[in-house]
């Protein structure tokens, strides 16, 4: 059975992660994974860098976003969503 990370924050999620994309790809290859998803928090700044690094390593890139959504009727209610 194969495994693929579908929630992974990189260096572009400044509060959550220090994982650099360049260091990520050899780890994904070593784990025998054919694909990996990048789901940085509230941004997609690393998209091009991630795509190029994954393709160069023979890994299928999956794009995503880790976001918080506020309730329209009550701004104090936040909902966490991962979009792939």
């Amino acid at each position: 059975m194969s495994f693929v990370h579908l929630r992974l924050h990189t260096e572009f999620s400044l509060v959550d992660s220090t994982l650099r994309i360049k260091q990520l790809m050899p780890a994904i290859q070593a784990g025998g994974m054919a694909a990996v998803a990048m789901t940085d928090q509230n941004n997609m700044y690393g998209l091009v860098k991630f795509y190029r690094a994954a393709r160069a390593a023979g890994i299928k890139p999956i794009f995503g976003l880790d976001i918080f959504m506020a309730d329209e009727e009550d701004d104090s209610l936040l909902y966490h969503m991962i979009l792939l």
Side-chain angles (χ1 to χ4, degrees), residues 32-52:
M33 295 176 228
V36 65
M38 178 185 74
T39 57
D40 284 327
Q41 268 196 328
N42 300 316
N43 77 72
M44 295 186 87
Y45 298 129
L47 183 83
V48 173
K49 186 176 182 179
F50 174 74
Y51 175 80
R52 287 182 179 159

Side-chain angles (χ1 to χ4, degrees), residues 6-9 13 37-41 64-66 82-84:
L6 293 178
R7 181 176 185 231
L8 191 127
H9 292 171
S13 288
M38 178 185 74
T39 57
D40 284 327
Q41 268 196 328
L65 192 59
D66 192 345
I82 296 178
L83 308 172
L84 296 174

Side-chain angles (χ1 to χ4, degrees), residues 16-83:
D16 274 358
S17 179
T18 59
L19 179 63
R20 300 202 178 268
I21 291 171
K22 189 175 182 178
Q23 297 166 342
L24 170 65
M25 296 309 155
I28 296 298
Q29 287 176 318
M33 295 176 228
V36 65
M38 178 185 74
T39 57
D40 284 327
Q41 268 196 328
N42 300 316
N43 77 72
M44 295 186 87
Y45 298 129
L47 183 83
V48 173
K49 186 176 182 179
F50 174 74
Y51 175 80
R52 287 182 179 159
R55 297 293 292 171
I59 298 166
K60 180 181 180 180
I62 301 171
F63 308 116
L65 192 59
D66 192 345
I67 65 168
F68 287 99
M69 294 185 63
D71 190 309
E72 289 181 357
E73 296 175 10
D74 184 355
D75 287 342
S76 67
L77 294 176
L78 292 177
Y79 300 98
H80 186 235
M81 294 180 68
I82 296 178
L83 308 172

